[in-house]
Amino acid sequence: MAFERISKVMETPDGSFVYAQGDYEANDFRVVCSGCPDLQNTPYNSQAGAILAASYHSEHDPAQGYVPTRK
């Protein structure tokens, strides 16, 4: 299956758009940001983790220094 959007689309203070995506069959989750093209290469452990990361990225931590990932 393909990735589908699993969160609302949020806007960052600099005008970029952020949302979470998930592929349920592959158990793969990611965050997409129009201002950070490399962000979608970071995998997340769960749907909730990706949604939380998207929310946190849009409001507080664009560098994602404090969001746990599968890195």
Side-chain angles (χ1 to χ4, degrees):
M1 195 171 162
F3 279 96
E4 61 184 78
R5 187 171 54 86
I6 57 173
S7 74
K8 66 180 184 176
V9 177
M10 297 162 276
E11 187 173 0
T12 65
D14 69 355
S16 299
F17 294 98
V18 181
Y19 58 93
Q21 288 184 327
D23 181 347
Y24 293 105
E25 289 183 4
N27 197 32
D28 198 15
F29 304 95
R30 65 185 182 188
V31 176
V32 176
C33 176
S34 62
C36 308
D38 294 333
L39 183 61
Q40 68 183 9
N41 296 330
T42 304
Y44 292 90
N45 295 325
S46 67
Q47 172 185 358
I51 293 170
L52 174 63
S55 176
Y56 198 72
H57 179 78
S58 70
E59 296 179 16
H60 303 292
D61 186 21
Q64 288 200 311
Y66 301 100
V67 178
T69 66
R70 283 193 237 172
K71 289 183 188 177

